[in-house]
Amino acid sequence: MLRLRDVVQRSVPPRNSPLYSGLWQRDGYKTQPGPQVTEQPGLKRFSTAEATVQTGAGHPCRMREKSLTMASLSPQVKAVEYAVRGPIVIRAGDIEKRLQQGGNESFTEVIKANIGDAHAMGQQPITFLRQVVALCCYPELLQSPSFPEDAKQRAQRILQGCGGQSLGSYSASQGVECIRQHVAEFITERDQGVPSDWNNIYLTTGASDGIMSILKLLVSGEGSGRTGVLIPIPQYPLYSAALSELDAVHIHYYLDEDSCWALDIEELQRAYLSAKQLCTPRALCIINPGNPTGQVQSKKCIEEVLHFAYEENLFVMADEVYQDNVYSADCHFHSFKKVLYEMGPEYFNNVELVSFHSTSKGYTGECGFRGGYMEVLNMDPQVKEQLVKLLSVRLCPPVPGQAAMDVIVNPPREHEPSYAQFIKEKSSVLDVLAQKARLTEQILNSVPGIKCNPVQGAMYAFPRIFIPPRAIQEAKARSMAPDMLYCLKLLEETGICVVPGSGFGQREGTYHFRMTILPSPEKLTVLLGKLKEFHLRFLEEYSQEGAQSSSLHREEGVQSSSLHREEGVQSSSLHREEGAH
């Protein structure tokens, strides 16, 4: 019987033979000069895909042209932009590495206020959630007296729903059945008895995965039949990035900054009617509580939106991942589903609605688990079959993330041993976030040239900033958006990393930045103090008269250019940074 080595040796011509050289030269492989290496025939030659091919000087070869280049790359991919991890964040990473290597800066650390990553900012995990997931990952711990019985019971229930009673097995594409049932029970309890069918629940890899899956179902057509999707401006860049990737039309409706970023139904109608001339509007996206704007929509506003969607036959996508993050005493979270139910059977049985939730936000901040769910209402049964087919392509969401989602929808009850500690930890996280929301608003509004709406919910402030004309001119000369210049200088002078408002969309002639309120109260106070000092220096540096900043009032910090109601529907990315890459 021939050994593998013998087969390999017989199938390859000797290295010094004309046939060997001719094979490589014919196929156009480039050779690399280097020392000759004595090798065991048939083994080292094929031991790694990165091995270089060496030929004699008499056999020059050319490097083949690459199949995938920027010229052949999908134009949809090139159109995708995601400011939350864009140029400013890349630059922040470079500075951070330089500091770690002993480089000199006027600051000692980079404060990353660009993204809603709670644990990275120092928030501690919820004990009960981690206990249940730990028990699921290492079932031997079920015998340990260190874990409470209610955590063990939940872990056992989850494991019973997993193949081989292991978190390492695939689940059904829609998710583990018992977890979907718990999600439906959670929704029914949250919405005070509004029924939820677990067959309409789909577990997802974070909310983003569900949003992308639904958009894939919605987008089709060409020309005037091309799908248009209404998205808020400002918006979370996931939506614009996803629509660019799918080559759908972005239909922008502007939130009302002067009314604390409320959704104006007349603006929604304007955007819809303008878009109908160019595409076929099929869906409406709402983020409530808002990202990046931090507003909490009123029940009346939601009713108007749902009535509008009913009249225009629009598919509604309700992004509700911040439903636990409401800080203003006069604001309350109202789920789109509950409001739809209360509008009566004609609405509840007809409006197509999908709502999203996630482990990443709320009081848990478990971004890394990538857990989430979506509830789908009134979807055509045949389309639901196509949705399941689409979800099965990615097999299933991460099962540990599904387990984390289960704890969020099935927390300890009042009679259970973990309840007291759970409530203490949950309340502490939300109380501190509310404190930081107020602190951020107060300090930003004390700075001349900055105006910040109340942070009613979510995890961000989106203040409006005055940028002097000279700074705008410099930004244009450097082929970047003015607020990109502002944020870049803020980073390089203070180490504070925030995201320019142009990455989220904003009205022409206005400038903003988004910052998270997640740093600890002590670090947030330092951050806001540095930001205030920087802004005053920035105004003075670019003032026409050199001392203009001392006379600026907060109200004058609003850009004086008129806020035009833009009529155009933008099918390319909304970001205005022309040279930000």
Side-chain angles (χ1 to χ4, degrees):
M1 181 178 294
L2 289 174
R3 291 178 300 172
L4 174 62
R5 194 175 83 176
D6 297 328
V7 174
V8 172
Q9 285 179 317
R10 292 183 184 186
S11 63
V12 179
R15 184 175 281 263
N16 58 359
S17 72
L19 176 59
Y20 183 94
S21 299
L23 282 172
W24 291 104
Q25 188 170 0
R26 180 197 68 191
D27 287 339
Y29 287 95
K30 186 175 181 179
T31 61
Q32 301 291 338
Q36 295 297 317
V37 180
T38 303
E39 63 185 29
Q40 188 174 351
L43 291 180
K44 186 172 181 182
R45 191 179 308 160
F46 295 94
S47 63
T48 171
E50 296 181 357
T52 58
V53 177
Q54 299 177 2
T55 65
H59 301 285
C61 298
R62 62 180 179 82
M63 179 66 79
R64 278 187 174 180
E65 199 174 297
K66 293 190 181 297
S67 174
L68 181 60
T69 65
M70 286 303 294
S72 62
L73 183 67
S74 164
Q76 283 74 43
V77 171
K78 286 190 278 190
V80 169
E81 293 185 26
Y82 188 66
V84 174
R85 296 197 176 194
I88 293 285
V89 183
I90 294 170
R91 176 66 176 145
D94 293 339
I95 294 174
E96 195 168 40
K97 287 179 183 176
R98 193 162 66 243
L99 285 171
Q100 292 168 353
Q101 294 167 358
N104 292 323
E105 297 288 349
S106 58
F107 45 87
T108 58
E109 67 172 329
V110 173
I111 303 177
K112 293 181 178 177
N114 61 294
I115 194 167
D117 190 350
H119 291 195
M121 291 287 102
Q123 180 178 311
Q124 294 302 300
I126 298 295
T127 301
F128 187 74
L129 187 149
R130 288 298 181 90
Q131 287 174 330
V132 174
V133 175
L135 289 163
C136 288
C137 289
Y138 192 58
E140 284 81 355
L141 293 174
L142 289 166
Q143 309 307 317
S144 169
S146 300
F147 289 80
E149 286 303 312
D150 48 354
K152 291 180 180 179
Q153 289 168 4
R154 281 164 175 76
Q156 288 170 331
R157 174 80 190 275
I158 293 168
L159 289 172
Q160 287 168 3
C162 298
Q165 297 195 17
S166 171
L167 221 61
S169 60
Y170 288 128
S171 75
S173 298
Q174 301 98 313
V176 175
E177 187 172 302
C178 69
I179 300 177
R180 295 166 67 202
Q181 292 170 348
H182 291 159
V183 170
E185 292 166 5
F186 161 80
I187 293 171
T188 299
E189 183 178 350
R190 179 199 68 188
D191 292 342
Q192 300 174 316
V194 178
S196 176
D197 182 352
W198 69 270
N199 290 294
N200 293 330
I201 305 297
Y202 301 83
L203 302 183
T204 57
T205 307
S208 304
D209 172 49
I211 291 166
M212 193 68 184
S213 296
I214 295 298
L215 288 174
K216 285 179 180 178
L217 296 179
L218 285 162
V219 174
S220 65
E222 297 179 356
S224 61
R226 190 170 162 217
T227 295
V229 179
L230 287 140
I231 59 174
I233 299 297
Q235 53 96 34
Y236 178 46
L238 163 68
Y239 291 94
S240 55
L243 294 176
S244 293
E245 183 179 341
L246 297 171
D247 199 25
V249 178
H250 308 198
I251 307 173
H252 295 170
Y253 65 90
Y254 289 85
L255 301 177
D256 186 356
E257 184 171 9
D258 293 335
S259 299
C260 203
W261 300 110
L263 197 163
D264 179 7
I265 196 67
E266 291 183 4
E267 166 62 12
L268 199 58
Q269 291 168 338
R270 177 209 64 77
Y272 173 81
L273 293 174
S274 298
K276 284 188 72 175
Q277 302 172 27
L278 302 172
C279 67
T280 302
R282 287 198 177 93
L284 166 61
C285 299
I286 305 99
I287 309 172
N288 181 50
N291 176 11
T293 44
Q295 86 286 3
V296 179
Q297 300 294 359
S298 67
K299 182 179 179 181
K300 180 177 182 297
C301 172
I302 295 172
E303 287 174 344
E304 291 176 342
V305 169
L306 290 170
H307 176 73
F308 175 75
Y310 173 81
E311 291 293 323
E312 304 300 345
N313 197 26
L314 293 171
F315 192 106
V316 179
M317 299 175 66
D319 184 338
E320 298 176 335
V321 301
Y322 296 101
Q323 58 190 259
D324 287 309
N325 301 104
V326 177
Y327 313 125
S328 296
D330 55 347
C331 292
H332 303 280
F333 170 75
H334 302 278
S335 79
F336 269 71
K337 181 186 177 183
K338 184 172 185 288
V339 174
L340 185 65
Y341 181 82
E342 292 171 346
M343 290 173 71
E346 181 66 21
Y347 289 91
F348 189 68
N349 296 328
N350 285 287
V351 173
E352 296 160 272
L353 169 68
V354 58
S355 54
F356 305 93
H357 197 14
S358 168
T359 62
S360 302
K361 309 304 175 186
Y363 57 90
T364 58
E366 294 283 8
C367 302
F369 275 116
R370 306 309 299 131
Y373 75 74
M374 59 183 177
E375 182 183 28
V376 176
L377 295 181
N378 298 321
M379 181 178 279
D380 181 285
Q382 291 182 312
V383 176
K384 283 183 76 172
E385 292 177 5
Q386 296 299 309
L387 173 60
V388 173
K389 178 184 73 174
L390 186 64
L391 296 177
S392 18
V393 173
R394 52 96 159 116
L395 296 177
C396 70
V399 182
Q402 296 184 49
M405 192 75 247
D406 185 78
V407 180
I408 292 172
V409 299
N410 187 24
R413 303 296 173 175
E414 196 166 355
H415 63 279
E416 293 182 309
S418 299
Y419 179 78
Q421 182 180 7
F422 170 78
I423 288 298
K424 180 181 178 182
E425 292 176 353
K426 176 182 176 180
S427 299
S428 174
V429 169
L430 294 176
D431 289 348
V432 170
L433 283 170
Q435 172 194 339
K436 292 188 290 188
R438 292 189 292 271
L439 176 70
T440 302
E441 176 196 345
Q442 290 166 3
I443 294 181
L444 288 176
N445 280 328
S446 72
V447 184
I450 296 182
K451 182 177 184 296
C452 183
N453 274 321
V455 182
Q456 297 174 336
M459 297 176 172
Y460 316 97
F462 196 67
R464 190 170 178 173
I465 52 177
F466 173 75
I467 297 184
R470 284 183 57 211
I472 295 173
Q473 292 169 5
E474 180 178 325
K476 289 180 179 177
R478 295 173 62 174
S479 298
M480 63 174 64
D483 49 17
M484 172 67 79
L485 173 69
Y486 181 94
C487 293
L488 184 61
K489 291 179 77 69
L490 173 66
L491 171 65
E492 293 180 338
E493 293 183 24
T494 68
I496 296 170
C497 179
V498 298
V499 188
S502 47
F504 301 88
Q506 55 198 358
R507 284 194 178 276
E508 187 72 28
T510 68
Y511 305 105
H512 304 77
F513 63 81
R514 188 193 81 163
M515 61 166 285
T516 180
I517 61 170
L518 289 174
S520 68
E522 297 76 20
K523 185 169 285 189
L524 184 63
T525 302
V526 171
L527 183 157
L528 292 168
K530 286 185 174 183
L531 199 155
K532 179 176 182 178
E533 293 171 1
F534 165 81
H535 187 78
L536 294 176
R537 288 198 310 270
F538 184 86
L539 291 181
E540 185 172 4
E541 177 184 353
Y542 288 100
S543 169
Q544 296 286 1
E545 300 174 4
Q548 194 176 14
S549 62
S550 61
S551 63
L552 282 172
H553 299 289
R554 183 170 73 248
E555 303 303 326
E556 296 171 350
V558 178
Q559 292 292 327
S560 59
S561 60
S562 62
L563 303 179
H564 299 297
R565 300 269 179 178
E566 297 186 9
E567 298 292 331
V569 176
Q570 302 179 17
S571 59
S572 61
S573 170
L574 61 91
H575 311 310
R576 300 185 184 278
E577 300 111 280
E578 297 176 355
H581 297 287

